[in-house]
Amino acid sequence: MPALFEPLKLRSLELQHRGWVSPMCQYSCDPDAAPGVPNDWHLMHLGSFAAGGAALILAEASAVSPEGRISPRDAGLYNDAQAEAWQRITTFVHRHGAAGAKIGAQLAHAGRKASTWWPFSGKHGSVPVSDGGWTTLGPSPLAFEGYAAPAAMMAEQIQEVISDFAAAAVRAVEAGFDTVEIHGAHGYLLHQFQSPLANLRDDEWGGDETGRNRLMLAVVDAVRAVIPDSMPLLLRISATDWAEGGIDLPASVRLAREAAARGVDLIDVSSGGAVAHQSITPRPGYQTGFSAAIREEAGIPTGTVGLLTSAGQAEHAIATGQADAVLIARAALRDPHWWLRAAFELGHDIPWAPQYERALPRRTF
């Protein structure tokens, strides 16, 4: 059996293989009639991956509060209407997943990178209040380049964010999600607090590494406390800021080790996003080394993501011990049946939806 298609168990969640879908924002909620509520587009988008053979589908970043949305068109899990809409999607995935697909919620707060124009709006930067935007929040009043400056968060606002993550996690469980991932990467709020490039505070939520990691770990504790013991908890981090003076890999290993001790079951390893002046040379597998180091040195399962587009690349990452799972993003947008094709290319059979079985490559007519 190819390593990519070996089963994986996290707590009581049994996954049929290690090929997953990375969270990808769709910017497709109706900001006027149903803000933050996923709709038919999200059902089709995520459902296609279930039919395409994915073992675990991580849904797009769902904001834990209205001001936590990346854009006015982003999804949320901060009210019951959103949870009910998500339940329709989780039910569909469970019913029609070809490979017994499971689905996870990614909980997020965009912090100073919130209230931005969505990518296909034709506009850039922050959305003004007059156009449906809002004043953003951050650890310090430092703007992300090209965006409006955030308001520095007060201590009580930080506590509210922790509570918001916990409340959203409860809704995720009620909506039928199989796992929860905390988004602590890509320059969003938890990463902003973690990175010395965005956090200039001198109180308990800033300063040294312990202070800057405090919010991330407090959210981990709050979410772990409200989801079932049997449900795995995932944490996405940026392993490096790719910028002088920012987070580096040794710091991320230390964070991962602490997260594991607090009940995180897998670190979803990405990188970058804290600042616009980061220096990255993307190439296939450019992040797998981060995943491998965290897996080995922190002693926790990891997922890897980033320009892994072929079955061979994904197989190599798993077979060589660089990760326990490979998360596919843009390649899945190009081919929502990526996992069925990958299994065929690696000489392995996984279940197909019965409606599609006539297209099985091994059949002759």
Side-chain angles (χ1 to χ4, degrees):
M1 177 183 293
L4 180 63
F5 288 98
E6 292 177 354
L8 179 66
K9 185 174 182 180
L10 298 172
R11 297 199 182 224
S12 66
L13 180 61
E14 297 184 1
L15 300 165
Q16 292 196 14
H17 60 77
R18 296 156 186 259
W20 301 354
V21 178
S22 190
M24 291 176 280
C25 289
Q26 295 297 291
Y27 309 100
S28 295
C29 298
D30 186 329
D32 299 316
V37 177
N39 51 44
D40 286 350
W41 177 266
H42 301 85
L43 177 69
M44 179 278 300
H45 168 67
L46 298 171
S48 66
F49 302 141
L56 176 64
I57 301 162
L58 290 175
E60 66 185 78
S62 292
V64 300
S65 63
E67 64 274 12
R69 291 172 294 162
I70 301 169
S71 83
R73 295 175 62 93
D74 275 56
L77 254 172
Y78 52 83
N79 64 40
D80 292 342
Q82 295 161 355
E84 290 173 5
W86 278 119
Q87 187 170 34
R88 175 173 172 247
I89 294 169
T90 63
T91 298
F92 184 94
V93 167
H94 291 147
R95 183 174 298 162
H96 298 291
K102 308 298 183 184
I103 183 168
Q106 187 187 62
L107 307 182
H109 191 301
R112 68 177 186 170
K113 294 177 79 173
S115 189
T116 60
W117 292 105
W118 49 98
F120 44 89
S121 67
K123 302 177 183 179
H124 303 281
S126 299
V127 178
V129 174
S130 59
D131 289 326
W134 55 90
T135 300
T136 59
L137 301 172
S140 303
L142 295 176
F144 185 84
E145 292 94 323
Y147 295 176
M153 295 176 69
M154 306 293 289
E156 57 268 25
Q157 292 174 306
I158 295 173
Q159 293 296 335
E160 287 173 2
V161 163
I162 297 170
S163 297
D164 288 341
F165 270 93
V170 170
R171 288 192 178 92
V173 174
E174 293 173 346
F177 285 100
D178 301 293
T179 186
V180 168
E181 177 172 272
I182 296 167
H183 198 346
H186 299 164
Y188 298 127
L189 185 67
L190 303 186
H191 184 194
Q192 290 163 28
F193 269 83
Q194 183 196 8
S195 175
L197 300 178
N199 185 347
L200 303 183
R201 302 176 74 98
D202 58 7
D203 62 2
E204 63 179 318
W205 304 101
D208 62 9
E209 185 176 295
T210 298
R212 288 183 282 104
N213 286 348
R214 194 179 307 278
L215 179 57
M216 181 100 67
L217 296 173
V219 168
V220 166
D221 288 343
V223 172
R224 183 73 266 175
V226 298
I227 64 175
D229 288 342
S230 59
M231 177 179 283
L233 177 60
L234 283 54
L235 175 64
R236 171 165 275 196
I237 67 170
S238 283
T240 176
D241 283 338
W242 297 104
E244 185 177 354
I247 296 166
D248 58 14
L249 180 57
S252 291
V253 169
R254 292 189 291 270
L255 173 66
R257 191 178 293 127
E258 181 67 23
R262 292 168 181 256
V264 169
D265 300 287
L266 180 140
I267 303 293
D268 180 0
V269 184
S270 189
S271 68
V275 291
H277 60 270
Q278 61 191 7
S279 179
I280 308 177
T281 305
R283 61 190 184 281
Y286 76 105
Q287 296 183 138
T288 58
F290 302 141
S291 171
I294 290 170
R295 184 177 187 265
E296 174 67 24
E297 298 177 35
I300 184 172
T302 60
T304 189
V305 66
L307 293 183
L308 298 172
T309 60
S310 73
Q313 290 168 342
E315 170 68 10
H316 177 76
I318 301 298
T320 56
Q322 297 181 76
D324 297 273
V326 171
L327 291 93
I328 302 299
R330 289 178 176 86
L333 297 182
R334 291 189 287 269
D335 178 8
H337 297 161
W338 187 93
W339 304 269
L340 298 179
R341 180 169 54 80
F344 174 74
E345 291 176 359
L346 295 173
H348 182 68
D349 285 332
I350 62 173
W352 284 49
Q355 297 92 332
Y356 287 1
E357 284 183 349
R358 74 188 73 176
L360 280 166
R362 65 174 179 270
R363 292 198 173 192
T364 58
F365 299 90

